[in-house]
Amino acid sequence: MTDNHISSLHIRSVPVLDQDEALDFYTTHLGFEVRDDIDMGFMRWLTVGVPGQDTSILLELVGGPQHDEDTAAQVRELVTKGALGGLFLISTDVHATYAALRDAGVEITQEPVTQPYGTDFGIRDPFGNQIRINQFNTASPDEVQEAYEGSTA
Amino acid sequence: MELSAREDTNRRMLRARDEMDRRYAEPLDVPTLAAIAHLSASQFGRVFKEVYGETPHRYLQRRRVERAMTLLRQTDRPITDVAWDVGFASLGTFSRTFSNIVGCSPSEFRAQHPPIAVPSCFIAAWTRPRTSATSPAGTVVSEKQEEVGAE
């Protein structure tokens, strides 16, 4: 294996259409903390993350000079159609997370489902990005495989 | 958040599509879905097709057939039960729709596809059959109650 010295995933960009609204959603509903909120003049560098976790999410406004107007419009269109984005989060109590988000009026795309690997459910952020929240069970990969195959019995 | 008229339409259509994704096995009628999208029943089908390229009825059929494919692949449930589980009231309608979309019968599909182990949301999204241009778009959105959609 080539050693290219890469050691971790640091920041992942999520396309958003309004940074204030994104900030409110990701902190209020998902409990993310603000890592950076810097007005760089030409852009607002806004990153958030799960407390205690290294990886950050860049809440990146769609548009700006790197996209021409048509491209920006196309990206916005794809975001609002639900065709972009996608975060996978882990909860220590998936049913509690689900109840809190549902009660807060967050858009639920799927109620909690028991899977061979755990229990997960789906939501959307205000712009249409899909977010899955999962609680892994203690099953080993072999047991997960067995659960998939065992359901045929 | 400032959305253009088109983005706002997209967002509302996505909510209606999410409702189909969530409640695919239940009777769903066009007025209910149209209300989610804040449109009249008569506008809904046309606008949905503009945004997603197929009628709501066809999308729901593909969603149901995709679920059926998973149940056929991952479980031993009798095909009649699978048909009901995913929202079809009759085995005949299910088999016809399935064959039309997938290109083989439910039992042939089951025989050819052993279970696979990856997260089910990925199976759902990536194995959903694409719409077939050769099949006429129906008007019935709910199979179980035979409600007639307005398109």
Side-chain angles (χ1 to χ4, degrees):
Chain A
M1 188 176 71
T2 306
D3 184 2
N4 57 15
H5 309 290
I6 292 171
S7 61
S8 72
L9 173 59
H10 182 43
I11 299 176
R12 176 78 171 88
S13 164
V14 169
V16 304
L17 306 186
D18 182 314
Q19 285 179 307
D20 286 327
E21 202 168 335
L23 181 62
D24 180 59
F25 178 83
Y26 282 91
T27 57
T28 304
H29 294 304
L30 300 186
F32 282 34
E33 63 186 11
V34 179
R35 298 274 161 77
D36 283 312
D37 187 353
I38 303 167
D39 182 357
M40 302 202 290
F42 54 87
M43 77 172 286
R44 180 182 179 188
W45 179 259
L46 178 60
T47 61
V48 296
V50 177
Q53 263 263 309
D54 289 337
T55 308
S56 296
I57 301 294
L58 173 66
L59 300 174
E60 186 174 9
L61 193 62
V62 176
Q66 80 277 28
H67 289 148
D68 63 85
E69 244 174 66
D70 281 354
T71 305
Q74 286 174 335
V75 175
R76 287 178 63 100
E77 168 128 6
L78 291 173
V79 170
T80 52
K81 284 165 86 165
L84 288 185
L87 289 179
F88 294 80
L89 306 176
I90 303 296
S91 166
T92 56
D93 186 341
V94 72
H95 292 289
T97 307
Y98 168 73
L101 295 181
R102 179 201 56 204
D103 293 350
V106 169
E107 286 182 35
I108 307 289
T109 55
Q110 187 179 41
E111 283 84 10
V113 193
T114 305
Q115 315 276 9
Y117 51 84
T119 301
D120 64 7
F121 69 100
I123 62 172
R124 288 201 189 279
D125 82 358
F127 319 104
N129 293 310
Q130 162 121 273
I131 300 169
R132 301 284 305 187
I133 302 176
N134 177 46
Q135 181 173 12
F136 282 108
N137 58 29
T138 55
S140 67
D142 283 350
E143 287 166 335
V144 170
Q145 179 70 44
E146 215 168 275
Y148 276 112
E149 288 167 5
S151 57
T152 64
Chain B
M1 175 171 44
E2 288 281 324
L3 293 182
S4 71
R6 173 143 195 178
E7 291 159 7
D8 182 56
T9 298
N10 288 346
R11 201 63 192 80
R12 287 183 283 116
M13 285 299 135
L14 179 58
R15 287 194 186 99
R17 201 187 71 172
D18 281 343
E19 183 73 356
M20 285 191 269
D21 281 343
R22 288 174 61 211
R23 297 179 47 208
Y24 62 89
E26 298 172 32
L28 286 171
D29 58 37
V30 167
T32 302
L33 297 171
I36 290 168
H38 297 164
L39 283 178
S40 72
S42 58
Q43 289 172 306
F44 177 68
R46 177 179 57 77
V47 176
F48 187 95
K49 187 167 182 182
E50 278 171 16
V51 171
Y52 286 114
E54 63 186 331
T55 65
H57 170 69
R58 189 64 180 177
Y59 180 80
L60 183 57
Q61 278 188 325
R62 288 197 308 117
R63 168 67 173 153
R64 288 172 167 165
V65 165
E66 161 254 300
R67 282 289 81 201
M69 290 162 75
T70 299
L71 289 171
L72 292 168
R73 184 196 279 274
Q74 305 292 133
T75 78
D76 234 2
R77 267 177 95 58
I79 289 173
T80 310
D81 294 357
V82 169
W84 179 261
D85 287 345
V86 302
F88 287 92
S90 87
L91 183 60
T93 308
F94 170 64
S95 295
R96 207 162 44 245
T97 305
F98 189 97
S99 301
N100 177 271
I101 290 176
V102 181
C104 67
S105 74
S107 54
E108 284 165 352
F109 179 84
R110 169 170 271 169
Q112 290 159 10
H113 293 84
I116 42 176
V118 295
S120 59
C121 61
F122 271 81
I123 301 178
W126 282 81
T127 64
R128 192 166 307 168
R130 291 180 189 281
T131 192
S132 157
T134 57
S135 99
T139 54
V140 179
V141 168
S142 164
E143 295 284 348
K144 280 181 179 167
Q145 290 188 351
E146 301 294 325
E147 284 153 319
V148 177
E151 284 174 26

